[in-house]
Amino acid sequence: MPPRRVLVVLGLVLAAAACVPVPPPAAAPPAGGGGGGTPAPPSLPAAPGHGDALAAGVDMEGDPTIRNWQNPDAPDPFTFAVNPTWCDTGTGPPAPTACYYTYSTQVFPNITPVFQSTDLVTWEIAGLDGADVDTSPDGLARTSIAPWAELIGHWAPAVIERPANPPGSRFVMWYSAEKANVSGTREPHCLGVAIADSPDGDFVDSSATPAYCQEAQGGTIDASPFIDTDGTAYLTYKTDGTPSIPTRIYISQLAADGMSLVPGTERLLLETDNSSGSWEPPIIEGPTMVRSAGGLFLFYSAALWQDSSYKVGVARCDAPLGPCTRIYSTPVLASLNAMRGPGGQTPVFDTEDNIWRIVFHSWTDPPVGYSAGGKRSIHALPLYL
């Protein structure tokens, strides 16, 4: 399977001028099925797309517009809440009561674009300032290039805040990057870990090897952390797949410091549903897990990120380590009007409005696709859970 996002980076450039051993994965299901190796039951209801969702759904009648910013290219936006002081510019009052950070896939030459909001609707570029002397941040989280990774192809970063020693905050970024090409043969993408003392960066990964990689399944990408109500942290991720193995979504428990996977905890949650009539092929990816009063849910993106076919689906899980079962026969988030190919989603609780929202990227038509000069910008809609 060709790489998904390195084509994006290479396109932008043109426009501008041995993994750590881990226990073997859980036994693989037969190829072509849904979660647990069985096709999605045809009797599943269609996703309603509004407030009377049966279990989980997106308000497709809401306003996805993001306001008051430069609307840059921001693919795969992982979003999480931090202490409001990180959004306090000192120019108040009033001081912010909420603060959210979003990190996106590499947009050359920026390895990790980063954005900031106090309401999940109005966003601005955040991150560390560059060499200039102005007070406006440049949106650069300033992630190091790990010794094991290529310069381009850093995808879908996600950050978790963990206790540091001595006491304080440590921000741990999981990301995927292409392994350095030392043999002349194209290498797979694997997961790396970078750490910082601030959500703005610097995020540093000095490792000689990736943190985790499923090379036999085409590589590992799209890591996303989840902290359950008991404080246990987990990491969802997906395989890139091979001609004989479909793309799959896995989860593992994270160590207390958030920097490694707990051996023996890896579980398979879903694989691409290739059954007749499925909307998902050719791939599923971008897993994000969330628990609400309604239960434990796994959101994921599927189809082709390059065009309007990209969509978001959802499954219900019995526990973080599964099993997970699809809820609907159709996606919960799909193209609507000028918003085309939504995906790369993160469910986030909006403490100001006391509702869940889903933050995601989409093309804006016209144009759709990088070859047409398009870009995937951030949007948000109310989420029913």
Side-chain angles (χ1 to χ4, degrees), residues 335-360:
S335 296
L336 179 67
N337 301 325
M339 186 186 76
R340 314 301 296 176
Q345 74 298 320
T346 311
V348 184
F349 190 74
D350 182 343
T351 57
E352 295 292 289
D353 292 337
N354 202 38
I355 64 170
W356 284 95
R357 296 187 188 275
I358 189 166
V359 181
F360 57 95

Side-chain angles (χ1 to χ4, degrees), residues 124-141:
E124 62 183 18
I125 292 175
L128 297 165
D129 209 8
D132 51 3
V133 296
D134 63 33
T135 58
S136 300
D138 293 336
L140 176 64

